[in-house]
Amino acid sequence: MGIGLAIILLTYMLLLVMSYQTLIFINAKDEKRGYFIINKSYKHAYSILLFGILIVITLIKLPHVPIDNVTISYLLLSSKFISVVTLAVSIFLLNKKYFGEQQN
């Protein structure tokens, strides 16, 4: 899989997550819960992204691990992909948790 295809897939997945997030926020009757879900989800996603980037930086700095530029770019893309998946799962689970309680 080429790097261009990976970027296209990442962008498509990010657009799907952002549209789902917008749909949840529009359908939220209580704006505070919508803001809470979005803020908490982004905190989870950014934490995972930061952790992934720190792992990549650590691998680059280690003298005994030879890594070329293509591998570094794939590692950064995969950390971003994991972050977007974390964002999607977090939004979905928090939505079920907080809005599922509201409907009962």
Side-chain angles (χ1 to χ4, degrees), residues 1-2 4-5 7 17 21-22 24 32 41 50 68 75 87-89 93 95-98:
M1 177 169 71
L5 182 61
I7 292 173
V17 172
Q21 171 187 334
T22 305
I24 286 174
K32 289 184 180 183
S41 298
L50 179 64
D68 58 342
L75 287 173
L87 178 65
V89 169
L93 292 177
N95 185 40
K96 290 294 181 188
K97 180 179 178 182
Y98 291 106

Side-chain angles (χ1 to χ4, degrees), residues 29-94:
K29 294 177 183 164
D30 185 13
E31 286 188 17
K32 289 184 180 183
R33 284 189 182 184
Y35 283 129
F36 175 76
I37 288 172
I38 292 170
N39 286 336
K40 191 155 182 101
S41 298
Y42 272 102
K43 284 180 186 177
H44 292 154
Y46 286 142
S47 300
I48 295 294
L49 181 63
L50 179 64
F51 184 70
I53 290 174
L54 287 176
I55 288 174
V56 172
I57 290 172
T58 304
L59 288 174
I60 292 169
K61 295 293 181 180
L62 288 175
H64 302 295
V65 180
I67 296 180
D68 58 342
N69 290 337
V70 175
T71 307
I72 292 170
S73 64
Y74 278 121
L75 287 173
L76 288 173
L77 270 174
S78 64
S79 67
K80 179 62 180 165
F81 181 76
I82 292 169
S83 173
V84 170
V85 168
T86 304
L87 178 65
V89 169
S90 182
I91 288 173
F92 180 75
L93 292 177
L94 287 172

Side-chain angles (χ1 to χ4, degrees), residues 15-29:
L15 285 173
L16 284 176
V17 172
M18 295 296 286
S19 63
Y20 181 68
Q21 171 187 334
T22 305
L23 182 70
I24 286 174
F25 190 69
I26 288 172
N27 290 337
K29 294 177 183 164

